[in-house]
Amino acid sequence: MAEQNIINEEMVARTRALLEQLEAGDEDAAQESLDTLVRLRETTLYQELGRLTRELHDALKSFHLDARIADIAKEEIPDARERLRHVIDMTDKAANTTLTAVEESIPVCDAILDEAARLREDWGRFTRREMEAAEFRKLVKRVDEFLRQCGERAEGLRSRLNEVLMAQDFQDLTGQIIKRVITLVAEVEDNLVNLIRISGAREEESPAADKEKRDIKAEGPSVPGTRQGDVVGGQDEVDELLSSLGF
Amino acid sequence: MDKNMKILIVDDFSTMRRIIKNLLRDLGYTNTQEADDGTTAWPMLQNGDFDFLITDWNMPGMQGIDLLRSVRADARLKDLPVLMVTAEQKRDQIVEAAQAGVNGYIVKPFTAQTLKEKIDRIFERVAAS
């Protein structure tokens, strides 16, 4: 600051001299005084710039030296990527296992329903005494066969339902993985906030810097459906919006 | 409604395609084919005599909204009913899809009932026009 005072004093002196020279009509001397004033101004500017550069350099250095950050960037982010990819694989596998079991089960249910409906109709004819003895003997065989098949089919359905049940284990495993990634994201967030605090220290009181910090906090982990912005809150609102458009 | 109508399901996730396919089969529509994005779907639509298109929005390659625009711009396909089934919930996007000429818009996750309602509604309107 002492340096700055000296510069300021000199500027005052030079400005006075400039005024006197101009009043005296000494243009050459006035020009020289003006040049000196400009140089003095530039010196102040460069000093300020130098100071800022040093601060930034120090801040970056201290940030850089934080080994934890280097570790996050080098190891944990790629590791988190792998983990999340694994989550996709697991959910994909679970969904496909479930879908396959369902797709195999539905025709079994349909077959049982169809045959049960046919038997019921024929059984109705029998109870109304509308059936010949020969046909009744066939009906008895069909009922017998149906009961046997029902047992087999129920067993098949049960084993597929078990597959569906077992396929849900992804929830536990992916939940654990995602929780770990959330912890990592929170840590990265803290470090980013710190970086902003260090690099933006000079403007800490300005509203812009505060806003920046808030924005980073508000972003948080992105979850589908909770994104910011003008989004609808579900199918009803979509329908409302579309009907307002003449749909 | 013609239960034999030919339906193309476009979604980059095979599980979502399977879910839609199964729901459609439950509703009695068994004549379905699948594509994993707009780029794959476009030649199928051109050669396939499809009666109905169900498409996701966000896909690699060609997006659903671009597929919709291509359909509306094509002389032969322009009247094809298109239902969008997507996780995109921004108002701007829904308006954009409406302006591009979508016939129905379903946000994920959705229920079998919603799918049925929207399909019925679309074909009621097609029949009425």
Side-chain angles (χ1 to χ4, degrees), chain A residues 13-23 30 33-34 37:
Chain A
R14 281 286 165 184
T15 311
R16 281 214 183 90
L18 176 61
L19 200 62
E20 280 163 19
Q21 285 153 357
L22 281 174
E23 278 167 356
S33 292
L34 254 179
L37 274 170

Side-chain angles (χ1 to χ4, degrees), chain A residues 54-67:
Chain A
R54 263 197 312 280
E55 273 183 17
L56 181 65
H57 180 74
D58 290 348
L60 284 176
K61 224 166 73 184
S62 76
F63 193 72
H64 211 69
L65 284 175
D66 191 338

Side-chain angles (χ1 to χ4, degrees), chain A residues 86-87 90 168-178:
Chain A
H86 186 51
V87 168
M90 285 171 88
Q168 309 312 307
D169 65 352
F170 79 94
Q171 168 60 28
D172 172 27
L173 304 171
T174 58
Q176 291 180 42
I177 292 173
I178 291 170

Side-chain angles (χ1 to χ4, degrees), chain B:
Chain B
M1 207 182 313
D2 179 15
K3 296 276 180 184
N4 273 323
M5 68 172 170
K6 200 165 160 188
I7 305 173
L8 182 62
I9 305 163
V10 190
D11 197 307
D12 53 331
F13 276 87
S14 66
T15 46
M16 185 45 75
R17 292 200 301 272
R18 283 180 79 176
I19 288 168
I20 294 174
K21 194 176 154 183
N22 277 296
L23 290 173
L24 287 173
R25 195 193 47 205
D26 234 32
L27 296 173
Y29 305 102
T30 50
N31 194 3
T32 54
Q33 285 190 28
E34 299 173 36
D36 60 5
D37 83 328
T39 320
T40 325
W42 185 241
M44 292 174 79
L45 286 170
Q46 298 240 294
N47 307 320
D49 299 324
F50 283 96
D51 302 299
F52 188 29
L53 169 64
I54 298 180
T55 182
D56 185 19
W57 182 312
N58 190 14
M59 294 176 287
M62 191 185 197
Q63 305 250 328
I65 187 76
D66 296 323
L67 181 62
L68 169 63
R69 290 202 179 101
S70 303
V71 165
R72 290 292 174 254
D74 186 271
R76 217 165 47 84
L77 295 171
K78 65 178 168 35
D79 295 322
L80 180 72
V82 179
L83 173 64
M84 210 156 225
V85 180
T86 172
E88 306 302 322
Q89 318 207 338
K90 286 215 171 94
R91 283 173 191 280
D92 291 351
Q93 287 176 303
I94 298 164
V95 172
E96 197 182 342
Q99 281 165 351
V102 83
N103 299 82
Y105 198 104
I106 295 179
V107 290
K108 295 174 188 170
F110 62 98
T111 63
Q113 185 57 31
T114 304
L115 184 66
K116 183 183 185 317
E117 276 169 22
K118 300 306 161 198
I119 292 176
D120 288 349
R121 182 102 195 267
I122 287 171
F123 285 96
E124 265 168 34
R125 286 177 164 246
V126 167
S129 64

